[in-house]
Amino acid sequence: MSQGKDEDARRLALTAAAEADLAFAHSRETLANAELNQRRAEIAELRRRLQSGGDQ
């Protein structure tokens, strides 16, 4: 009976670790997307300035 509980505990621990890894990957993806959007906004602003003659 103890063996079954050990296996359950091991399975739950592995599941928790996998879910933590997935959550970390999702958070890194969110940060990367935010940075990408910021860079795109900067590029759009630079293009706008170039098209308007760069006066601003």
Side-chain angles (χ1 to χ4, degrees):
M1 187 179 264
S2 177
Q3 179 68 21
K5 288 184 180 181
D6 288 348
E7 287 301 318
D8 285 345
R10 183 183 317 274
R11 183 178 45 79
L12 289 172
L14 290 173
T15 299
E19 288 176 357
D21 287 345
L22 181 60
F24 181 73
H26 280 289
S27 69
R28 296 291 298 163
E29 178 185 27
T30 299
L31 289 172
N33 283 330
E35 187 172 333
L36 175 62
N37 290 334
Q38 178 63 36
R39 298 299 172 255
R40 285 179 174 163
E42 291 170 1
I43 290 168
E45 174 63 17
L46 290 171
R47 285 183 176 154
R48 186 192 64 75
R49 287 184 183 186
L50 285 172
Q51 289 174 352
S52 69
D55 296 340
Q56 299 172 356

mmCIF file of all heavy atoms in Angstrom:
data_model
loop_
_atom_site.group_PDB
_atom_site.id
_atom_site.type_symbol
_atom_site.label_atom_id
_atom_site.label_comp_id
_atom_site.label_asym_id
_atom_site.label_seq_id
_atom_site.Cartn_x
_atom_site.Cartn_y
_atom_site.Cartn_z
ATOM 1 N N MET A 1 0.824 -1.188 0.000
ATOM 2 C CA MET A 1 0.000 0.000 0.000
ATOM 3 C C MET A 1 0.873 1.259 0.000
ATOM 4 O O MET A 1 0.580 2.215 -0.683
ATOM 5 C CB MET A 1 -0.936 -0.025 1.200
ATOM 6 C CG MET A 1 -1.926 1.119 1.151
ATOM 7 S SD MET A 1 -3.068 1.115 2.515
ATOM 8 C CE MET A 1 -4.433 0.284 1.782
ATOM 9 N N SER A 2 1.951 1.226 0.735
ATOM 10 C CA SER A 2 2.871 2.355 0.766
ATOM 11 C C SER A 2 3.484 2.602 -0.610
ATOM 12 O O SER A 2 3.698 3.749 -0.993
ATOM 13 C CB SER A 2 3.970 2.107 1.797
ATOM 14 O OG SER A 2 4.888 3.164 1.771
ATOM 15 N N GLN A 3 3.754 1.516 -1.327
ATOM 16 C CA GLN A 3 4.322 1.636 -2.678
ATOM 17 C C GLN A 3 3.387 2.437 -3.590
ATOM 18 O O GLN A 3 3.830 3.288 -4.342
ATOM 19 C CB GLN A 3 4.568 0.242 -3.271
ATOM 20 C CG GLN A 3 5.127 0.248 -4.685
ATOM 21 C CD GLN A 3 6.545 0.779 -4.749
ATOM 22 O OE1 GLN A 3 7.257 0.793 -3.752
ATOM 23 N NE2 GLN A 3 6.941 1.233 -5.913
ATOM 24 N N GLY A 4 2.098 2.192 -3.514
ATOM 25 C CA GLY A 4 1.113 2.912 -4.317
ATOM 26 C C GLY A 4 1.085 4.392 -3.986
ATOM 27 O O GLY A 4 0.985 5.239 -4.870
ATOM 28 N N LYS A 5 1.195 4.709 -2.713
ATOM 29 C CA LYS A 5 1.214 6.109 -2.297
ATOM 30 C C LYS A 5 2.486 6.797 -2.775
ATOM 31 O O LYS A 5 2.457 7.965 -3.164
ATOM 32 C CB LYS A 5 1.077 6.219 -0.782
ATOM 33 C CG LYS A 5 -0.305 5.887 -0.290
ATOM 34 C CD LYS A 5 -0.436 6.087 1.198
ATOM 35 C CE LYS A 5 -1.848 5.745 1.660
ATOM 36 N NZ LYS A 5 -2.009 5.945 3.097
ATOM 37 N N ASP A 6 3.610 6.069 -2.743
ATOM 38 C CA ASP A 6 4.861 6.629 -3.240
ATOM 39 C C ASP A 6 4.765 6.934 -4.733
ATOM 40 O O ASP A 6 5.209 7.993 -5.192
ATOM 41 C CB ASP A 6 6.027 5.671 -2.997
ATOM 42 C CG ASP A 6 6.426 5.568 -1.535
ATOM 43 O OD1 ASP A 6 5.955 6.410 -0.727
ATOM 44 O OD2 ASP A 6 7.198 4.656 -1.193
ATOM 45 N N GLU A 7 4.154 6.027 -5.474
ATOM 46 C CA GLU A 7 3.990 6.240 -6.915
ATOM 47 C C GLU A 7 3.056 7.409 -7.192
ATOM 48 O O GLU A 7 3.318 8.217 -8.094
ATOM 49 C CB GLU A 7 3.470 4.961 -7.592
ATOM 50 C CG GLU A 7 4.493 3.857 -7.700
ATOM 51 C CD GLU A 7 5.734 4.272 -8.493
ATOM 52 O OE1 GLU A 7 5.579 4.938 -9.547
ATOM 53 O OE2 GLU A 7 6.851 3.970 -8.044
ATOM 54 N N ASP A 8 1.989 7.498 -6.418
ATOM 55 C CA ASP A 8 1.064 8.629 -6.573
ATOM 56 C C ASP A 8 1.775 9.947 -6.274
ATOM 57 O O ASP A 8 1.615 10.931 -6.998
ATOM 58 C CB ASP A 8 -0.147 8.469 -5.647
ATOM 59 C CG ASP A 8 -1.130 7.427 -6.134
ATOM 60 O OD1 ASP A 8 -1.032 7.019 -7.318
ATOM 61 O OD2 ASP A 8 -1.995 7.014 -5.336
ATOM 62 N N ALA A 9 2.545 9.956 -5.203
ATOM 63 C CA ALA A 9 3.276 11.167 -4.829
ATOM 64 C C ALA A 9 4.283 11.543 -5.907
ATOM 65 O O ALA A 9 4.418 12.718 -6.261
ATOM 66 C CB ALA A 9 3.981 10.968 -3.494
ATOM 67 N N ARG A 10 4.982 10.553 -6.454
ATOM 68 C CA ARG A 10 5.959 10.807 -7.513
ATOM 69 C C ARG A 10 5.265 11.371 -8.757
ATOM 70 O O ARG A 10 5.709 12.334 -9.362
ATOM 71 C CB ARG A 10 6.701 9.524 -7.864
ATOM 72 C CG ARG A 10 7.793 9.684 -8.894
ATOM 73 C CD ARG A 10 8.439 8.361 -9.262
ATOM 74 N NE ARG A 10 8.716 7.503 -8.122
ATOM 75 C CZ ARG A 10 9.812 7.554 -7.380
ATOM 76 N NH1 ARG A 10 10.762 8.428 -7.675
ATOM 77 N NH2 ARG A 10 9.987 6.736 -6.374
ATOM 78 N N ARG A 11 4.129 10.769 -9.120
ATOM 79 C CA ARG A 11 3.375 11.224 -10.286
ATOM 80 C C ARG A 11 2.875 12.655 -10.083
ATOM 81 O O ARG A 11 2.989 13.496 -10.973
ATOM 82 C CB ARG A 11 2.194 10.285 -10.543
ATOM 83 C CG ARG A 11 1.386 10.634 -11.776
ATOM 84 C CD ARG A 11 0.248 9.653 -12.023
ATOM 85 N NE ARG A 11 -0.538 9.304 -10.843
ATOM 86 C CZ ARG A 11 -1.481 10.067 -10.307
ATOM 87 N NH1 ARG A 11 -1.747 11.246 -10.826
ATOM 88 N NH2 ARG A 11 -2.150 9.662 -9.245
ATOM 89 N N LEU A 12 2.370 12.937 -8.898
ATOM 90 C CA LEU A 12 1.890 14.286 -8.608
ATOM 91 C C LEU A 12 3.032 15.298 -8.624
ATOM 92 O O LEU A 12 2.872 16.428 -9.103
ATOM 93 C CB LEU A 12 1.168 14.315 -7.264
ATOM 94 C CG LEU A 12 -0.197 13.619 -7.238
ATOM 95 C CD1 LEU A 12 -0.725 13.546 -5.807
ATOM 96 C CD2 LEU A 12 -1.188 14.324 -8.140
ATOM 97 N N ALA A 13 4.172 14.908 -8.099
ATOM 98 C CA ALA A 13 5.326 15.802 -8.100
ATOM 99 C C ALA A 13 5.790 16.078 -9.525
ATOM 100 O O ALA A 13 6.115 17.234 -9.881
ATOM 101 C CB ALA A 13 6.465 15.199 -7.283
ATOM 102 N N LEU A 14 5.826 15.054 -10.360
ATOM 103 C CA LEU A 14 6.224 15.252 -11.766
ATOM 104 C C LEU A 14 5.218 16.118 -12.510
ATOM 105 O O LEU A 14 5.597 16.977 -13.313
ATOM 106 C CB LEU A 14 6.389 13.902 -12.462
ATOM 107 C CG LEU A 14 7.589 13.068 -12.020
ATOM 108 C CD1 LEU A 14 7.541 11.674 -12.652
ATOM 109 C CD2 LEU A 14 8.891 13.773 -12.367
ATOM 110 N N THR A 15 3.950 15.916 -12.224
ATOM 111 C CA THR A 15 2.907 16.735 -12.846
ATOM 112 C C THR A 15 3.051 18.191 -12.418
ATOM 113 O O THR A 15 2.961 19.105 -13.245
ATOM 114 C CB THR A 15 1.508 16.198 -12.474
ATOM 115 O OG1 THR A 15 1.397 14.857 -12.958
ATOM 116 C CG2 THR A 15 0.405 17.048 -13.076
ATOM 117 N N ALA A 16 3.282 18.398 -11.142
ATOM 118 C CA ALA A 16 3.450 19.762 -10.637
ATOM 119 C C ALA A 16 4.672 20.427 -11.260
ATOM 120 O O ALA A 16 4.622 21.607 -11.635
ATOM 121 C CB ALA A 16 3.565 19.753 -9.115
ATOM 122 N N ALA A 17 5.754 19.683 -11.393
ATOM 123 C CA ALA A 17 6.965 20.236 -12.005
ATOM 124 C C ALA A 17 6.715 20.586 -13.470
ATOM 125 O O ALA A 17 7.148 21.648 -13.947
ATOM 126 C CB ALA A 17 8.120 19.250 -11.883
ATOM 127 N N ALA A 18 6.011 19.719 -14.176
ATOM 128 C CA ALA A 18 5.703 19.988 -15.587
ATOM 129 C C ALA A 18 4.803 21.216 -15.715
ATOM 130 O O ALA A 18 5.011 22.054 -16.603
ATOM 131 C CB ALA A 18 5.046 18.764 -16.219
ATOM 132 N N GLU A 19 3.838 21.329 -14.844
ATOM 133 C CA GLU A 19 2.950 22.495 -14.885
ATOM 134 C C GLU A 19 3.700 23.771 -14.546
ATOM 135 O O GLU A 19 3.428 24.832 -15.131
ATOM 136 C CB GLU A 19 1.760 22.285 -13.948
ATOM 137 C CG GLU A 19 0.780 21.248 -14.485
ATOM 138 C CD GLU A 19 -0.364 20.955 -13.537
ATOM 139 O OE1 GLU A 19 -0.390 21.502 -12.411
ATOM 140 O OE2 GLU A 19 -1.243 20.169 -13.931
ATOM 141 N N ALA A 20 4.638 23.698 -13.632
ATOM 142 C CA ALA A 20 5.458 24.864 -13.298
ATOM 143 C C ALA A 20 6.323 25.260 -14.489
ATOM 144 O O ALA A 20 6.451 26.449 -14.801
ATOM 145 C CB ALA A 20 6.333 24.568 -12.082
ATOM 146 N N ASP A 21 6.910 24.279 -15.159
ATOM 147 C CA ASP A 21 7.710 24.560 -16.355
ATOM 148 C C ASP A 21 6.851 25.214 -17.435
ATOM 149 O O ASP A 21 7.279 26.165 -18.095
ATOM 150 C CB ASP A 21 8.337 23.279 -16.912
ATOM 151 C CG ASP A 21 9.470 22.757 -16.063
ATOM 152 O OD1 ASP A 21 9.983 23.506 -15.202
ATOM 153 O OD2 ASP A 21 9.854 21.582 -16.268
ATOM 154 N N LEU A 22 5.639 24.719 -17.621
ATOM 155 C CA LEU A 22 4.732 25.290 -18.609
ATOM 156 C C LEU A 22 4.359 26.720 -18.246
ATOM 157 O O LEU A 22 4.351 27.609 -19.108
ATOM 158 C CB LEU A 22 3.478 24.419 -18.729
ATOM 159 C CG LEU A 22 2.441 24.864 -19.752
ATOM 160 C CD1 LEU A 22 3.027 24.903 -21.157
ATOM 161 C CD2 LEU A 22 1.236 23.947 -19.698
ATOM 162 N N ALA A 23 4.072 26.973 -16.988
ATOM 163 C CA ALA A 23 3.736 28.325 -16.542
ATOM 164 C C ALA A 23 4.907 29.270 -16.768
ATOM 165 O O ALA A 23 4.725 30.413 -17.207
ATOM 166 C CB ALA A 23 3.340 28.317 -15.066
ATOM 167 N N PHE A 24 6.117 28.797 -16.498
ATOM 168 C CA PHE A 24 7.304 29.619 -16.726
ATOM 169 C C PHE A 24 7.457 29.927 -18.206
ATOM 170 O O PHE A 24 7.739 31.075 -18.591
ATOM 171 C CB PHE A 24 8.552 28.898 -16.191
ATOM 172 C CG PHE A 24 9.810 29.688 -16.377
ATOM 173 C CD1 PHE A 24 10.069 30.802 -15.599
ATOM 174 C CD2 PHE A 24 10.743 29.314 -17.336
ATOM 175 C CE1 PHE A 24 11.229 31.534 -15.767
ATOM 176 C CE2 PHE A 24 11.900 30.037 -17.511
ATOM 177 C CZ PHE A 24 12.151 31.159 -16.731
ATOM 178 N N ALA A 25 7.255 28.930 -19.055
ATOM 179 C CA ALA A 25 7.355 29.138 -20.503
ATOM 180 C C ALA A 25 6.313 30.144 -20.978
ATOM 181 O O ALA A 25 6.605 31.014 -21.802
ATOM 182 C CB ALA A 25 7.211 27.813 -21.241
ATOM 183 N N HIS A 26 5.110 30.044 -20.435
ATOM 184 C CA HIS A 26 4.058 30.996 -20.814
ATOM 185 C C HIS A 26 4.423 32.414 -20.371
ATOM 186 O O HIS A 26 4.181 33.374 -21.107
ATOM 187 C CB HIS A 26 2.714 30.591 -20.211
ATOM 188 C CG HIS A 26 2.016 29.505 -20.962
ATOM 189 N ND1 HIS A 26 1.453 29.681 -22.201
ATOM 190 C CD2 HIS A 26 1.803 28.216 -20.649
ATOM 191 C CE1 HIS A 26 0.915 28.557 -22.616
ATOM 192 N NE2 HIS A 26 1.120 27.634 -21.688
ATOM 193 N N SER A 27 4.997 32.556 -19.200
ATOM 194 C CA SER A 27 5.371 33.887 -18.727
ATOM 195 C C SER A 27 6.496 34.464 -19.584
ATOM 196 O O SER A 27 6.485 35.652 -19.909
ATOM 197 C CB SER A 27 5.763 33.870 -17.251
ATOM 198 O OG SER A 27 6.981 33.189 -17.050
ATOM 199 N N ARG A 28 7.448 33.624 -19.976
ATOM 200 C CA ARG A 28 8.524 34.087 -20.863
ATOM 201 C C ARG A 28 7.963 34.487 -22.230
ATOM 202 O O ARG A 28 8.390 35.473 -22.818
ATOM 203 C CB ARG A 28 9.594 33.005 -21.031
ATOM 204 C CG ARG A 28 10.331 32.637 -19.756
ATOM 205 C CD ARG A 28 11.211 33.733 -19.259
ATOM 206 N NE ARG A 28 12.229 34.000 -20.252
ATOM 207 C CZ ARG A 28 12.968 35.088 -20.296
ATOM 208 N NH1 ARG A 28 12.814 36.012 -19.389
ATOM 209 N NH2 ARG A 28 13.869 35.259 -21.234
ATOM 210 N N GLU A 29 6.999 33.731 -22.710
ATOM 211 C CA GLU A 29 6.363 34.054 -23.987
ATOM 212 C C GLU A 29 5.644 35.407 -23.888
ATOM 213 O O GLU A 29 5.742 36.232 -24.809
ATOM 214 C CB GLU A 29 5.366 32.963 -24.379
ATOM 215 C CG GLU A 29 4.629 33.260 -25.673
ATOM 216 C CD GLU A 29 3.550 32.247 -25.992
ATOM 217 O OE1 GLU A 29 3.000 31.627 -25.056
ATOM 218 O OE2 GLU A 29 3.265 32.083 -27.185
ATOM 219 N N THR A 30 4.949 35.626 -22.791
ATOM 220 C CA THR A 30 4.239 36.884 -22.600
ATOM 221 C C THR A 30 5.216 38.051 -22.571
ATOM 222 O O THR A 30 4.976 39.095 -23.198
ATOM 223 C CB THR A 30 3.412 36.843 -21.298
ATOM 224 O OG1 THR A 30 2.453 35.776 -21.411
ATOM 225 C CG2 THR A 30 2.686 38.142 -21.055
ATOM 226 N N LEU A 31 6.321 37.888 -21.869
ATOM 227 C CA LEU A 31 7.337 38.941 -21.822
ATOM 228 C C LEU A 31 7.939 39.192 -23.194
ATOM 229 O O LEU A 31 8.136 40.349 -23.597
ATOM 230 C CB LEU A 31 8.441 38.569 -20.829
ATOM 231 C CG LEU A 31 8.058 38.613 -19.359
ATOM 232 C CD1 LEU A 31 9.184 38.038 -18.499
ATOM 233 C CD2 LEU A 31 7.743 40.036 -18.928
ATOM 234 N N ALA A 32 8.227 38.130 -23.927
ATOM 235 C CA ALA A 32 8.801 38.272 -25.266
ATOM 236 C C ALA A 32 7.820 38.981 -26.196
ATOM 237 O O ALA A 32 8.215 39.849 -26.987
ATOM 238 C CB ALA A 32 9.187 36.907 -25.824
ATOM 239 N N ASN A 33 6.552 38.635 -26.104
ATOM 240 C CA ASN A 33 5.550 39.296 -26.939
ATOM 241 C C ASN A 33 5.401 40.768 -26.584
ATOM 242 O O ASN A 33 5.233 41.612 -27.467
ATOM 243 C CB ASN A 33 4.204 38.580 -26.833
ATOM 244 C CG ASN A 33 4.173 37.307 -27.637
ATOM 245 O OD1 ASN A 33 4.842 37.182 -28.658
ATOM 246 N ND2 ASN A 33 3.375 36.345 -27.194
ATOM 247 N N ALA A 34 5.474 41.089 -25.311
ATOM 248 C CA ALA A 34 5.397 42.484 -24.885
ATOM 249 C C ALA A 34 6.586 43.271 -25.432
ATOM 250 O O ALA A 34 6.428 44.396 -25.918
ATOM 251 C CB ALA A 34 5.346 42.578 -23.360
ATOM 252 N N GLU A 35 7.762 42.668 -25.370
ATOM 253 C CA GLU A 35 8.955 43.331 -25.899
ATOM 254 C C GLU A 35 8.851 43.491 -27.415
ATOM 255 O O GLU A 35 9.202 44.542 -27.960
ATOM 256 C CB GLU A 35 10.214 42.544 -25.538
ATOM 257 C CG GLU A 35 11.482 43.279 -25.906
ATOM 258 C CD GLU A 35 12.734 42.594 -25.385
ATOM 259 O OE1 GLU A 35 12.657 41.893 -24.363
ATOM 260 O OE2 GLU A 35 13.783 42.776 -26.023
ATOM 261 N N LEU A 36 8.364 42.476 -28.089
ATOM 262 C CA LEU A 36 8.169 42.551 -29.539
ATOM 263 C C LEU A 36 7.207 43.674 -29.895
ATOM 264 O O LEU A 36 7.475 44.467 -30.808
ATOM 265 C CB LEU A 36 7.649 41.213 -30.060
ATOM 266 C CG LEU A 36 7.281 41.151 -31.541
ATOM 267 C CD1 LEU A 36 8.492 41.430 -32.427
ATOM 268 C CD2 LEU A 36 6.683 39.797 -31.872
ATOM 269 N N ASN A 37 6.101 43.762 -29.176
ATOM 270 C CA ASN A 37 5.135 44.833 -29.437
ATOM 271 C C ASN A 37 5.740 46.208 -29.193
ATOM 272 O O ASN A 37 5.463 47.155 -29.939
ATOM 273 C CB ASN A 37 3.879 44.638 -28.590
ATOM 274 C CG ASN A 37 3.064 43.458 -29.055
ATOM 275 O OD1 ASN A 37 3.114 43.073 -30.227
ATOM 276 N ND2 ASN A 37 2.302 42.861 -28.151
ATOM 277 N N GLN A 38 6.571 46.321 -28.172
ATOM 278 C CA GLN A 38 7.239 47.593 -27.896
ATOM 279 C C GLN A 38 8.180 47.966 -29.039
ATOM 280 O O GLN A 38 8.191 49.111 -29.496
ATOM 281 C CB GLN A 38 8.026 47.509 -26.573
ATOM 282 C CG GLN A 38 8.791 48.773 -26.241
ATOM 283 C CD GLN A 38 7.891 49.972 -26.020
ATOM 284 O OE1 GLN A 38 6.804 49.833 -25.469
ATOM 285 N NE2 GLN A 38 8.323 51.134 -26.458
ATOM 286 N N ARG A 39 8.942 46.998 -29.520
ATOM 287 C CA ARG A 39 9.869 47.265 -30.634
ATOM 288 C C ARG A 39 9.100 47.639 -31.898
ATOM 289 O O ARG A 39 9.519 48.522 -32.644
ATOM 290 C CB ARG A 39 10.764 46.056 -30.913
ATOM 291 C CG ARG A 39 11.675 45.667 -29.766
ATOM 292 C CD ARG A 39 12.651 46.807 -29.414
ATOM 293 N NE ARG A 39 13.364 46.484 -28.204
ATOM 294 C CZ ARG A 39 13.111 47.027 -27.020
ATOM 295 N NH1 ARG A 39 12.186 47.938 -26.896
ATOM 296 N NH2 ARG A 39 13.794 46.683 -25.956
ATOM 297 N N ARG A 40 7.969 46.963 -32.136
ATOM 298 C CA ARG A 40 7.158 47.301 -33.304
ATOM 299 C C ARG A 40 6.618 48.726 -33.205
ATOM 300 O O ARG A 40 6.560 49.448 -34.196
ATOM 301 C CB ARG A 40 6.007 46.305 -33.448
ATOM 302 C CG ARG A 40 6.460 44.969 -33.983
ATOM 303 C CD ARG A 40 5.311 43.997 -34.105
ATOM 304 N NE ARG A 40 5.737 42.760 -34.763
ATOM 305 C CZ ARG A 40 5.079 41.635 -34.733
ATOM 306 N NH1 ARG A 40 3.924 41.562 -34.072
ATOM 307 N NH2 ARG A 40 5.531 40.575 -35.355
ATOM 308 N N ALA A 41 6.209 49.124 -32.017
ATOM 309 C CA ALA A 41 5.729 50.489 -31.813
ATOM 310 C C ALA A 41 6.848 51.488 -32.054
ATOM 311 O O ALA A 41 6.628 52.546 -32.660
ATOM 312 C CB ALA A 41 5.155 50.643 -30.404
ATOM 313 N N GLU A 42 8.055 51.164 -31.600
ATOM 314 C CA GLU A 42 9.197 52.050 -31.824
ATOM 315 C C GLU A 42 9.497 52.176 -33.315
ATOM 316 O O GLU A 42 9.783 53.269 -33.811
ATOM 317 C CB GLU A 42 10.423 51.528 -31.077
ATOM 318 C CG GLU A 42 10.302 51.638 -29.568
ATOM 319 C CD GLU A 42 11.404 50.899 -28.826
ATOM 320 O OE1 GLU A 42 12.291 50.299 -29.466
ATOM 321 O OE2 GLU A 42 11.362 50.907 -27.582
ATOM 322 N N ILE A 43 9.448 51.067 -34.020
ATOM 323 C CA ILE A 43 9.695 51.082 -35.463
ATOM 324 C C ILE A 43 8.630 51.917 -36.175
ATOM 325 O O ILE A 43 8.948 52.729 -37.056
ATOM 326 C CB ILE A 43 9.745 49.643 -36.024
ATOM 327 C CG1 ILE A 43 11.013 48.951 -35.534
ATOM 328 C CG2 ILE A 43 9.668 49.636 -37.549
ATOM 329 C CD1 ILE A 43 11.036 47.460 -35.782
ATOM 330 N N ALA A 44 7.373 51.741 -35.783
ATOM 331 C CA ALA A 44 6.286 52.518 -36.388
ATOM 332 C C ALA A 44 6.497 54.008 -36.150
ATOM 333 O O ALA A 44 6.282 54.822 -37.061
ATOM 334 C CB ALA A 44 4.944 52.071 -35.827
ATOM 335 N N GLU A 45 6.919 54.370 -34.944
ATOM 336 C CA GLU A 45 7.182 55.772 -34.643
ATOM 337 C C GLU A 45 8.344 56.311 -35.473
ATOM 338 O O GLU A 45 8.276 57.424 -36.008
ATOM 339 C CB GLU A 45 7.467 55.949 -33.149
ATOM 340 C CG GLU A 45 7.896 57.343 -32.737
ATOM 341 C CD GLU A 45 6.826 58.406 -32.989
ATOM 342 O OE1 GLU A 45 5.651 58.059 -33.177
ATOM 343 O OE2 GLU A 45 7.194 59.605 -33.001
ATOM 344 N N LEU A 46 9.390 55.533 -35.605
ATOM 345 C CA LEU A 46 10.522 55.971 -36.423
ATOM 346 C C LEU A 46 10.120 56.129 -37.886
ATOM 347 O O LEU A 46 10.531 57.098 -38.545
ATOM 348 C CB LEU A 46 11.684 54.981 -36.296
ATOM 349 C CG LEU A 46 12.387 54.967 -34.945
ATOM 350 C CD1 LEU A 46 13.365 53.803 -34.875
ATOM 351 C CD2 LEU A 46 13.091 56.291 -34.692
ATOM 352 N N ARG A 47 9.323 55.215 -38.387
ATOM 353 C CA ARG A 47 8.834 55.331 -39.774
ATOM 354 C C ARG A 47 7.986 56.586 -39.946
ATOM 355 O O ARG A 47 8.077 57.285 -40.949
ATOM 356 C CB ARG A 47 8.037 54.091 -40.157
ATOM 357 C CG ARG A 47 8.910 52.906 -40.430
ATOM 358 C CD ARG A 47 8.090 51.713 -40.873
ATOM 359 N NE ARG A 47 8.979 50.603 -41.210
ATOM 360 C CZ ARG A 47 8.639 49.343 -41.161
ATOM 361 N NH1 ARG A 47 7.414 48.993 -40.806
ATOM 362 N NH2 ARG A 47 9.506 48.405 -41.475
ATOM 363 N N ARG A 48 7.119 56.825 -38.950
ATOM 364 C CA ARG A 48 6.282 58.021 -39.012
ATOM 365 C C ARG A 48 7.140 59.280 -39.068
ATOM 366 O O ARG A 48 6.899 60.181 -39.856
ATOM 367 C CB ARG A 48 5.342 58.068 -37.806
ATOM 368 C CG ARG A 48 4.322 59.214 -37.882
ATOM 369 C CD ARG A 48 3.602 59.424 -36.572
ATOM 370 N NE ARG A 48 4.488 59.845 -35.488
ATOM 371 C CZ ARG A 48 5.005 61.070 -35.353
ATOM 372 N NH1 ARG A 48 4.761 62.008 -36.233
ATOM 373 N NH2 ARG A 48 5.787 61.362 -34.326
ATOM 374 N N ARG A 49 8.181 59.324 -38.251
ATOM 375 C CA ARG A 49 9.074 60.488 -38.242
ATOM 376 C C ARG A 49 9.809 60.644 -39.568
ATOM 377 O O ARG A 49 9.972 61.757 -40.063
ATOM 378 C CB ARG A 49 10.092 60.360 -37.109
ATOM 379 C CG ARG A 49 9.518 60.588 -35.750
ATOM 380 C CD ARG A 49 10.597 60.536 -34.706
ATOM 381 N NE ARG A 49 10.064 60.674 -33.370
ATOM 382 C CZ ARG A 49 10.815 60.777 -32.293
ATOM 383 N NH1 ARG A 49 12.137 60.731 -32.391
ATOM 384 N NH2 ARG A 49 10.259 60.901 -31.120
ATOM 385 N N LEU A 50 10.260 59.529 -40.126
ATOM 386 C CA LEU A 50 10.955 59.590 -41.409
ATOM 387 C C LEU A 50 10.035 60.087 -42.513
ATOM 388 O O LEU A 50 10.438 60.878 -43.368
ATOM 389 C CB LEU A 50 11.519 58.227 -41.773
ATOM 390 C CG LEU A 50 12.757 57.795 -41.011
ATOM 391 C CD1 LEU A 50 13.093 56.331 -41.335
ATOM 392 C CD2 LEU A 50 13.935 58.683 -41.337
ATOM 393 N N GLN A 51 8.790 59.642 -42.507
ATOM 394 C CA GLN A 51 7.837 60.035 -43.545
ATOM 395 C C GLN A 51 7.414 61.493 -43.419
ATOM 396 O O GLN A 51 7.091 62.142 -44.406
ATOM 397 C CB GLN A 51 6.611 59.121 -43.515
ATOM 398 C CG GLN A 51 6.920 57.725 -44.005
ATOM 399 C CD GLN A 51 5.753 56.773 -43.852
ATOM 400 O OE1 GLN A 51 4.731 57.108 -43.238
ATOM 401 N NE2 GLN A 51 5.920 55.569 -44.386
ATOM 402 N N SER A 52 7.445 62.012 -42.190
ATOM 403 C CA SER A 52 7.052 63.409 -41.998
ATOM 404 C C SER A 52 8.240 64.355 -42.124
ATOM 405 O O SER A 52 8.114 65.531 -41.868
ATOM 406 C CB SER A 52 6.388 63.591 -40.622
ATOM 407 O OG SER A 52 7.335 63.433 -39.593
ATOM 408 N N GLY A 53 9.369 63.834 -42.493
ATOM 409 C CA GLY A 53 10.545 64.680 -42.690
ATOM 410 C C GLY A 53 11.453 64.757 -41.492
ATOM 411 O O GLY A 53 12.461 65.446 -41.519
ATOM 412 N N GLY A 54 11.103 64.085 -40.422
ATOM 413 C CA GLY A 54 11.969 64.031 -39.257
ATOM 414 C C GLY A 54 11.997 65.295 -38.432
ATOM 415 O O GLY A 54 12.881 65.514 -37.635
ATOM 416 N N ASP A 55 11.016 66.182 -38.649
ATOM 417 C CA ASP A 55 10.996 67.457 -37.936
ATOM 418 C C ASP A 55 10.682 67.312 -36.464
ATOM 419 O O ASP A 55 11.063 68.129 -35.649
ATOM 420 C CB ASP A 55 9.937 68.396 -38.559
ATOM 421 C CG ASP A 55 10.289 68.767 -39.991
ATOM 422 O OD1 ASP A 55 11.480 68.620 -40.352
ATOM 423 O OD2 ASP A 55 9.381 69.166 -40.740
ATOM 424 N N GLN A 56 9.963 66.258 -36.081
ATOM 425 C CA GLN A 56 9.479 66.160 -34.706
ATOM 426 C C GLN A 56 10.361 65.381 -33.846
ATOM 427 O O GLN A 56 10.909 64.449 -33.899
ATOM 428 C CB GLN A 56 8.076 65.589 -34.712
ATOM 429 C CG GLN A 56 7.140 66.495 -35.476
ATOM 430 C CD GLN A 56 5.770 65.841 -35.652
ATOM 431 O OE1 GLN A 56 5.558 64.699 -35.276
ATOM 432 N NE2 GLN A 56 4.846 66.596 -36.210
#
